[in-house]
Amino acid sequence: MINRNTVKVLSLKPITRTMCYDFYIKINSEYSPEAIKESVSWWQNDCDKLNNLWWVLNYYSDRLDPDRNLRAFVERHLDGLAKEKETS
């Protein structure tokens, strides 16, 4: 799960499964697990996009992230963004 402090600092909102379905379709059809991980670097400063990605990985974990490694990777990146924001 995303750290509560990270959620607060970055003002992350929960996203429903319905809200992220289109993003899931895009990710599932266009990205491999390695490409999903690489996409984090493309969206590195967009905490809303990363939050959306985390929710897609959470809801569709059986297809995209059964071992939870991608979600953990996104969580660590969001935590880093929160720390940067807190120190600035």
Side-chain angles (χ1 to χ4, degrees):
M1 293 302 295
I2 300 173
N3 182 304
R4 283 185 184 176
N5 188 55
T6 298
V7 170
K8 187 175 103 178
V9 169
L10 298 177
S11 301
L12 301 176
K13 306 290 184 229
I15 297 174
T16 66
R17 188 178 188 120
T18 303
M19 290 168 61
C20 65
Y21 182 74
D22 290 337
F23 194 42
Y24 161 70
I25 294 299
K26 180 177 176 73
I27 288 171
N28 195 40
S29 64
E30 296 178 16
Y31 296 95
S32 66
E34 296 79 25
I36 292 171
K37 196 170 186 176
E38 185 179 332
S39 69
V40 172
S41 66
W42 303 332
W43 306 324
Q44 65 184 349
N45 294 319
D46 189 341
C47 58
D48 292 327
K49 189 81 160 191
L50 293 172
N51 183 48
N52 198 355
L53 175 60
W54 186 89
W55 282 99
V56 168
L57 294 171
N58 186 52
Y59 288 129
Y60 300 99
S61 62
D62 57 330
R63 294 186 188 110
L64 297 174
D65 190 28
D67 57 7
R68 303 184 68 95
N69 288 333
L70 291 171
R71 276 175 285 180
F73 183 75
V74 173
E75 288 167 14
R76 285 190 301 273
H77 194 75
L78 285 168
D79 288 343
L81 290 175
K83 284 182 182 182
E84 286 177 18
K85 188 171 183 177
E86 280 183 318
T87 59
S88 62

